Amino acid sequence: MLAHLLGVLGLIAAALLLILGLGITVFALARGDRALARRTGLATAAFTALYLVGTAISVGAAPSRVLPLGQELSFCGFDCHLHVSIVAVETDEDRIGLVVRARSDAKSEPEFPQELQFRLVGKDGSVLVPFQEGKTFEEPLGAGASAVDTVTFVAPFAGTPYSLRVVSRGLPKALLIGPANSRAAGRITLGLGDSPS
């Protein structure tokens, strides 16, 4: 939770510095002060590049883990109230159905599990999208409630060991520095019972 809060505060501070730098650059150009515009423009571009490198390093430095079947992943806004776990695995000849529970421990505000992206990840690096993408958890989750839904993938269960990667969609979370970055958080996956942890 602290890492997420620090990541959000860092993104807000970076956005404010970017706006300030661009504002000074435009103001300097309007006044005809090309030297000041060039310096602030270069400093703003350098800061933006450093921030983006920081997000890339966050993703590269994040550990990869597979959580055992039944353990939860937590997702944070300003605090971490949405938790997701696999409660059962249903297999057919060429389909894997994952029964996924979304649980909220919020006190009053709803959570939105429909904003989560589900991908089946093979040990060989293969990534599969759900059979009906976007149909999982269509309704908001009330405070203190839980819901169960099934995510189905077209894949033989006897194939490579799989795990479920769940990330929050959207650009803001992909721009956070640290473990709260959605791509860094996506390196921790949920095991199906056939994956080594």
mmCIF file of all heavy atoms in Angstrom, residues 17-30 33-48:
data_model
loop_
_atom_site.group_PDB
_atom_site.id
_atom_site.type_symbol
_atom_site.label_atom_id
_atom_site.label_comp_id
_atom_site.label_asym_id
_atom_site.label_seq_id
_atom_site.Cartn_x
_atom_site.Cartn_y
_atom_site.Cartn_z
ATOM 1 N N LEU A 17 5.481 18.967 -12.423
ATOM 2 C CA LEU A 17 6.749 19.490 -12.948
ATOM 3 C C LEU A 17 6.732 19.593 -14.469
ATOM 4 O O LEU A 17 7.250 20.549 -15.038
ATOM 5 C CB LEU A 17 7.912 18.613 -12.487
ATOM 6 C CG LEU A 17 8.334 18.787 -11.035
ATOM 7 C CD1 LEU A 17 9.369 17.737 -10.643
ATOM 8 C CD2 LEU A 17 8.888 20.183 -10.798
ATOM 9 N N LEU A 18 6.122 18.619 -15.125
ATOM 10 C CA LEU A 18 6.006 18.655 -16.578
ATOM 11 C C LEU A 18 5.162 19.843 -17.022
ATOM 12 O O LEU A 18 5.542 20.584 -17.947
ATOM 13 C CB LEU A 18 5.400 17.345 -17.089
ATOM 14 C CG LEU A 18 5.168 17.237 -18.591
ATOM 15 C CD1 LEU A 18 6.490 17.300 -19.345
ATOM 16 C CD2 LEU A 18 4.431 15.948 -18.921
ATOM 17 N N ILE A 19 4.031 20.071 -16.360
ATOM 18 C CA ILE A 19 3.165 21.208 -16.698
ATOM 19 C C ILE A 19 3.889 22.526 -16.441
ATOM 20 O O ILE A 19 3.825 23.453 -17.252
ATOM 21 C CB ILE A 19 1.845 21.131 -15.905
ATOM 22 C CG1 ILE A 19 1.009 19.947 -16.413
ATOM 23 C CG2 ILE A 19 1.062 22.424 -15.998
ATOM 24 C CD1 ILE A 19 -0.173 19.595 -15.536
ATOM 25 N N LEU A 20 4.604 22.598 -15.317
ATOM 26 C CA LEU A 20 5.361 23.811 -14.998
ATOM 27 C C LEU A 20 6.432 24.072 -16.047
ATOM 28 O O LEU A 20 6.588 25.201 -16.534
ATOM 29 C CB LEU A 20 5.990 23.687 -13.607
ATOM 30 C CG LEU A 20 6.844 24.873 -13.146
ATOM 31 C CD1 LEU A 20 5.986 26.112 -12.990
ATOM 32 C CD2 LEU A 20 7.561 24.538 -11.850
ATOM 33 N N GLY A 21 7.176 23.030 -16.415
ATOM 34 C CA GLY A 21 8.222 23.194 -17.425
ATOM 35 C C GLY A 21 7.671 23.622 -18.772
ATOM 36 O O GLY A 21 8.231 24.513 -19.429
ATOM 37 N N LEU A 22 6.579 23.001 -19.187
ATOM 38 C CA LEU A 22 5.958 23.391 -20.458
ATOM 39 C C LEU A 22 5.408 24.812 -20.387
ATOM 40 O O LEU A 22 5.511 25.578 -21.353
ATOM 41 C CB LEU A 22 4.849 22.405 -20.830
ATOM 42 C CG LEU A 22 5.309 21.010 -21.221
ATOM 43 C CD1 LEU A 22 4.106 20.089 -21.438
ATOM 44 C CD2 LEU A 22 6.187 21.043 -22.463
ATOM 45 N N GLY A 23 4.828 25.172 -19.239
ATOM 46 C CA GLY A 23 4.305 26.528 -19.069
ATOM 47 C C GLY A 23 5.404 27.577 -19.161
ATOM 48 O O GLY A 23 5.236 28.614 -19.827
ATOM 49 N N ILE A 24 6.525 27.321 -18.498
ATOM 50 C CA ILE A 24 7.649 28.269 -18.564
ATOM 51 C C ILE A 24 8.191 28.352 -19.986
ATOM 52 O O ILE A 24 8.519 29.442 -20.471
ATOM 53 C CB ILE A 24 8.761 27.876 -17.564
ATOM 54 C CG1 ILE A 24 8.254 28.068 -16.127
ATOM 55 C CG2 ILE A 24 10.028 28.684 -17.798
ATOM 56 C CD1 ILE A 24 9.188 27.523 -15.073
ATOM 57 N N THR A 25 8.270 27.223 -20.684
ATOM 58 C CA THR A 25 8.761 27.216 -22.058
ATOM 59 C C THR A 25 7.857 28.048 -22.956
ATOM 60 O O THR A 25 8.344 28.876 -23.755
ATOM 61 C CB THR A 25 8.852 25.770 -22.591
ATOM 62 O OG1 THR A 25 9.711 25.023 -21.734
ATOM 63 C CG2 THR A 25 9.384 25.723 -24.009
ATOM 64 N N VAL A 26 6.554 27.863 -22.861
ATOM 65 C CA VAL A 26 5.607 28.630 -23.688
ATOM 66 C C VAL A 26 5.667 30.110 -23.324
ATOM 67 O O VAL A 26 5.669 30.986 -24.214
ATOM 68 C CB VAL A 26 4.176 28.068 -23.517
ATOM 69 C CG1 VAL A 26 3.143 28.988 -24.149
ATOM 70 C CG2 VAL A 26 4.085 26.672 -24.112
ATOM 71 N N PHE A 27 5.737 30.421 -22.022
ATOM 72 C CA PHE A 27 5.826 31.815 -21.590
ATOM 73 C C PHE A 27 7.098 32.469 -22.134
ATOM 74 O O PHE A 27 7.068 33.613 -22.611
ATOM 75 C CB PHE A 27 5.800 31.887 -20.062
ATOM 76 C CG PHE A 27 5.921 33.273 -19.516
ATOM 77 C CD1 PHE A 27 4.860 34.153 -19.603
ATOM 78 C CD2 PHE A 27 7.100 33.700 -18.919
ATOM 79 C CE1 PHE A 27 4.961 35.449 -19.103
ATOM 80 C CE2 PHE A 27 7.221 34.986 -18.419
ATOM 81 C CZ PHE A 27 6.147 35.860 -18.512
ATOM 82 N N ALA A 28 8.228 31.742 -22.064
ATOM 83 C CA ALA A 28 9.493 32.292 -22.572
ATOM 84 C C ALA A 28 9.422 32.521 -24.077
ATOM 85 O O ALA A 28 9.936 33.529 -24.583
ATOM 86 C CB ALA A 28 10.642 31.362 -22.218
ATOM 87 N N LEU A 29 8.805 31.611 -24.809
ATOM 88 C CA LEU A 29 8.654 31.801 -26.254
ATOM 89 C C LEU A 29 7.761 32.996 -26.558
ATOM 90 O O LEU A 29 8.039 33.776 -27.489
ATOM 91 C CB LEU A 29 8.059 30.541 -26.900
ATOM 92 C CG LEU A 29 9.013 29.365 -27.071
ATOM 93 C CD1 LEU A 29 8.254 28.135 -27.563
ATOM 94 C CD2 LEU A 29 10.144 29.715 -28.044
ATOM 95 N N ALA A 30 6.702 33.174 -25.777
ATOM 96 C CA ALA A 30 5.803 34.318 -25.983
ATOM 97 C C ALA A 30 6.515 35.635 -25.716
ATOM 98 O O ALA A 30 6.225 36.646 -26.375
ATOM 99 C CB ALA A 30 4.573 34.180 -25.089
ATOM 100 N N ASP A 33 12.136 35.148 -25.379
ATOM 101 C CA ASP A 33 13.364 34.729 -24.704
ATOM 102 C C ASP A 33 13.683 33.289 -25.123
ATOM 103 O O ASP A 33 13.342 32.325 -24.437
ATOM 104 C CB ASP A 33 13.186 34.838 -23.194
ATOM 105 C CG ASP A 33 14.479 34.642 -22.420
ATOM 106 O OD1 ASP A 33 15.473 34.169 -23.031
ATOM 107 O OD2 ASP A 33 14.488 34.945 -21.217
ATOM 108 N N ARG A 34 14.339 33.160 -26.260
ATOM 109 C CA ARG A 34 14.624 31.831 -26.807
ATOM 110 C C ARG A 34 15.598 31.035 -25.936
ATOM 111 O O ARG A 34 15.491 29.804 -25.855
ATOM 112 C CB ARG A 34 15.164 31.945 -28.224
ATOM 113 C CG ARG A 34 14.134 32.460 -29.197
ATOM 114 C CD ARG A 34 14.693 32.441 -30.617
ATOM 115 N NE ARG A 34 13.799 33.079 -31.540
ATOM 116 C CZ ARG A 34 12.817 32.462 -32.165
ATOM 117 N NH1 ARG A 34 12.606 31.191 -31.936
ATOM 118 N NH2 ARG A 34 12.042 33.109 -33.002
ATOM 119 N N ALA A 35 16.515 31.700 -25.283
ATOM 120 C CA ALA A 35 17.493 30.993 -24.441
ATOM 121 C C ALA A 35 16.785 30.308 -23.267
ATOM 122 O O ALA A 35 17.041 29.136 -22.962
ATOM 123 C CB ALA A 35 18.562 31.946 -23.936
ATOM 124 N N LEU A 36 15.901 31.038 -22.598
ATOM 125 C CA LEU A 36 15.153 30.460 -21.479
ATOM 126 C C LEU A 36 14.233 29.338 -21.978
ATOM 127 O O LEU A 36 14.135 28.285 -21.347
ATOM 128 C CB LEU A 36 14.331 31.532 -20.762
ATOM 129 C CG LEU A 36 13.459 31.049 -19.599
ATOM 130 C CD1 LEU A 36 14.310 30.424 -18.503
ATOM 131 C CD2 LEU A 36 12.607 32.185 -19.055
ATOM 132 N N ALA A 37 13.588 29.551 -23.121
ATOM 133 C CA ALA A 37 12.702 28.524 -23.682
ATOM 134 C C ALA A 37 13.488 27.260 -23.999
ATOM 135 O O ALA A 37 13.025 26.142 -23.724
ATOM 136 C CB ALA A 37 12.009 29.057 -24.933
ATOM 137 N N ARG A 38 14.679 27.402 -24.569
ATOM 138 C CA ARG A 38 15.496 26.240 -24.902
ATOM 139 C C ARG A 38 15.930 25.499 -23.644
ATOM 140 O O ARG A 38 15.848 24.273 -23.570
ATOM 141 C CB ARG A 38 16.716 26.668 -25.730
ATOM 142 C CG ARG A 38 17.544 25.499 -26.230
ATOM 143 C CD ARG A 38 18.676 25.917 -27.176
ATOM 144 N NE ARG A 38 19.525 26.961 -26.653
ATOM 145 C CZ ARG A 38 19.520 28.242 -27.084
ATOM 146 N NH1 ARG A 38 18.695 28.609 -28.040
ATOM 147 N NH2 ARG A 38 20.321 29.134 -26.556
ATOM 148 N N ARG A 39 16.392 26.242 -22.622
ATOM 149 C CA ARG A 39 16.845 25.605 -21.383
ATOM 150 C C ARG A 39 15.710 24.862 -20.673
ATOM 151 O O ARG A 39 15.872 23.721 -20.262
ATOM 152 C CB ARG A 39 17.464 26.638 -20.430
ATOM 153 C CG ARG A 39 18.856 27.092 -20.840
ATOM 154 C CD ARG A 39 19.548 27.855 -19.727
ATOM 155 N NE ARG A 39 18.771 28.948 -19.186
ATOM 156 C CZ ARG A 39 18.806 30.214 -19.598
ATOM 157 N NH1 ARG A 39 19.627 30.562 -20.571
ATOM 158 N NH2 ARG A 39 18.071 31.137 -19.035
ATOM 159 N N THR A 40 14.568 25.518 -20.528
ATOM 160 C CA THR A 40 13.459 24.849 -19.835
ATOM 161 C C THR A 40 12.885 23.712 -20.669
ATOM 162 O O THR A 40 12.480 22.685 -20.126
ATOM 163 C CB THR A 40 12.335 25.836 -19.461
ATOM 164 O OG1 THR A 40 11.880 26.504 -20.628
ATOM 165 C CG2 THR A 40 12.812 26.840 -18.432
ATOM 166 N N GLY A 41 12.856 23.883 -21.979
ATOM 167 C CA GLY A 41 12.378 22.807 -22.847
ATOM 168 C C GLY A 41 13.268 21.577 -22.750
ATOM 169 O O GLY A 41 12.780 20.447 -22.647
ATOM 170 N N LEU A 42 14.593 21.800 -22.777
ATOM 171 C CA LEU A 42 15.533 20.681 -22.644
ATOM 172 C C LEU A 42 15.452 20.033 -21.263
ATOM 173 O O LEU A 42 15.482 18.808 -21.141
ATOM 174 C CB LEU A 42 16.964 21.147 -22.929
ATOM 175 C CG LEU A 42 17.289 21.415 -24.398
ATOM 176 C CD1 LEU A 42 18.669 22.051 -24.534
ATOM 177 C CD2 LEU A 42 17.210 20.131 -25.200
ATOM 178 N N ALA A 43 15.337 20.851 -20.221
ATOM 179 C CA ALA A 43 15.234 20.305 -18.866
ATOM 180 C C ALA A 43 13.945 19.492 -18.701
ATOM 181 O O ALA A 43 13.955 18.413 -18.098
ATOM 182 C CB ALA A 43 15.284 21.432 -17.834
ATOM 183 N N THR A 44 12.854 19.992 -19.255
ATOM 184 C CA THR A 44 11.572 19.269 -19.175
ATOM 185 C C THR A 44 11.645 17.953 -19.933
ATOM 186 O O THR A 44 11.186 16.911 -19.452
ATOM 187 C CB THR A 44 10.429 20.152 -19.718
ATOM 188 O OG1 THR A 44 10.385 21.371 -18.965
ATOM 189 C CG2 THR A 44 9.086 19.448 -19.619
ATOM 190 N N ALA A 45 12.245 17.974 -21.123
ATOM 191 C CA ALA A 45 12.387 16.742 -21.917
ATOM 192 C C ALA A 45 13.289 15.737 -21.193
ATOM 193 O O ALA A 45 12.992 14.533 -21.169
ATOM 194 C CB ALA A 45 12.943 17.066 -23.294
ATOM 195 N N ALA A 46 14.383 16.217 -20.605
ATOM 196 C CA ALA A 46 15.296 15.331 -19.878
ATOM 197 C C ALA A 46 14.603 14.718 -18.662
ATOM 198 O O ALA A 46 14.747 13.516 -18.390
ATOM 199 C CB ALA A 46 16.546 16.088 -19.451
ATOM 200 N N PHE A 47 13.833 15.532 -17.934
ATOM 201 C CA PHE A 47 13.104 15.014 -16.774
ATOM 202 C C PHE A 47 12.091 13.949 -17.195
ATOM 203 O O PHE A 47 11.982 12.899 -16.565
ATOM 204 C CB PHE A 47 12.392 16.151 -16.024
ATOM 205 C CG PHE A 47 11.491 15.653 -14.948
ATOM 206 C CD1 PHE A 47 12.016 15.195 -13.742
ATOM 207 C CD2 PHE A 47 10.119 15.604 -15.137
ATOM 208 C CE1 PHE A 47 11.195 14.713 -12.753
ATOM 209 C CE2 PHE A 47 9.289 15.121 -14.148
ATOM 210 C CZ PHE A 47 9.822 14.674 -12.946
ATOM 211 N N THR A 48 11.361 14.215 -18.281
ATOM 212 C CA THR A 48 10.371 13.252 -18.777
ATOM 213 C C THR A 48 11.048 11.943 -19.173
ATOM 214 O O THR A 48 10.556 10.856 -18.847
ATOM 215 C CB THR A 48 9.601 13.843 -19.968
ATOM 216 O OG1 THR A 48 8.989 15.072 -19.555
ATOM 217 C CG2 THR A 48 8.537 12.892 -20.475
#
